[in-house]
Amino acid sequence: MRVYPRTYEVEMIILAVDLGKARTGIAICDKTELLASPLEQISEKDTEVLLDKISTIALERKAELIVVGLPKNMDGSEGESAQNARDFAQKLREKSGLDVKMQDERGTTITAHKYLNATNTRGKKRKNVVDSVAATIILQSFLDSRK
């Protein structure tokens, strides 16, 4: 029996971050990397506190990689929000000690709202989950690109 080497990276627990000005969504996948799941939403405007919270979650969940959404413009260019996300990712890399990758997040919030519409999630509950659902979409997109 012939054994062929795997052509993809080693599977690992990955945490995803949908960075927002007031709320940040967090999603995670297990070691199989089959399915991304919403984890939580963090309401925090202070960058240092947010970095601490995300680093703690990554440690507690035994994450081996963090993916941060990169908010590109619809034409693919990068503006101030994209640079802020890149700066945050670098600080998160330093704080957590983990590798941090960027993932194009164009359209994820719109897609998250469509999912929430389809499940009839409204009002306060919707506000409390939309960012973690967006993080889940970012992570699933990243996982799909690794296959």
Side-chain angles (χ1 to χ4, degrees), residues 52-63:
D52 284 339
K53 287 182 178 186
I54 295 170
S55 295
T56 299
I57 292 167
L59 179 66
E60 289 172 348
R61 296 291 182 142
K62 297 180 174 65

Side-chain angles (χ1 to χ4, degrees), residues 28-42:
I28 196 164
C29 72
D30 66 359
K31 267 230 189 275
T32 65
E33 293 186 21
L34 290 177
L35 187 64
S37 302
L39 188 59
E40 67 180 89
Q41 185 165 280
I42 302 169

Side-chain angles (χ1 to χ4, degrees), residues 24-80:
T24 297
I26 307 293
I28 196 164
C29 72
D30 66 359
K31 267 230 189 275
T32 65
E33 293 186 21
L34 290 177
L35 187 64
S37 302
L39 188 59
E40 67 180 89
Q41 185 165 280
I42 302 169
S43 295
E44 183 57 63
K45 293 180 182 179
D46 184 297
T47 301
E48 290 304 316
V49 174
L50 183 58
L51 288 165
D52 284 339
K53 287 182 178 186
I54 295 170
S55 295
T56 299
I57 292 167
L59 179 66
E60 289 172 348
R61 296 291 182 142
K62 297 180 174 65
E64 300 162 83
L65 175 69
I66 300 174
V67 175
V68 174
L70 181 62
K72 290 184 174 183
N73 297 321
M74 287 315 231
D75 66 2
S77 64
E78 294 184 15
E80 184 180 344

